[in-house]
Amino acid sequence: HQYTHVIAHGLSEFVEKLQKIDVKSVEFHIPRKDFENWVRSLGDVELAKRLDLIRNMHLRGEDLRTRVYEAAKHRLEELKRIHG
């Protein structure tokens, strides 16, 4: 995988692209745990746990995208506060 560059860069790009990708793509990847596994591979167990909770809500469409986006964006902001 080419995902393990700089964690903040990867997550920042993820947050940005979540707003633009087809919502069907989000619906496809969430049940498969793809996003959870990806952020876990970056070392972010906390965000992986939050994505797991969202996955178990069984949301669809824009509700799902919004939840995933907000979780990732909030986590990115937390990491920026922690690491400066």
Side-chain angles (χ1 to χ4, degrees), residues 32-50:
R32 293 164 41 100
K33 300 185 181 182
D34 292 337
F35 296 154
E36 282 173 58
N37 292 334
W38 179 71
V39 297
R40 191 173 279 114
S41 80
L42 296 177
D44 195 339
V45 177
E46 180 58 38
L47 181 55
K49 287 180 191 173
R50 294 176 194 180

Side-chain angles (χ1 to χ4, degrees), residues 5-76:
H5 297 304
V6 178
I7 292 173
H9 175 73
L11 185 54
S12 178
E13 202 168 281
F14 178 66
V15 168
E16 184 184 309
K17 290 187 176 179
L18 267 173
Q19 300 173 86
K20 299 172 184 170
I21 62 172
D22 190 321
V23 74
K24 295 287 183 202
S25 182
V26 181
E27 290 177 342
F28 174 78
H29 288 293
I30 286 291
R32 293 164 41 100
K33 300 185 181 182
D34 292 337
F35 296 154
E36 282 173 58
N37 292 334
W38 179 71
V39 297
R40 191 173 279 114
S41 80
L42 296 177
D44 195 339
V45 177
E46 180 58 38
L47 181 55
K49 287 180 191 173
R50 294 176 194 180
L51 293 175
D52 176 60
L53 291 172
I54 292 167
R55 181 173 49 81
N56 287 310
M57 292 175 175
H58 305 289
L59 301 170
R60 299 196 60 77
E62 291 303 327
D63 288 342
L64 177 61
R65 182 208 306 266
T66 299
R67 287 288 185 133
V68 173
Y69 171 77
E70 290 296 331
K73 186 171 184 280
H74 182 72
R75 184 62 178 149
L76 183 60

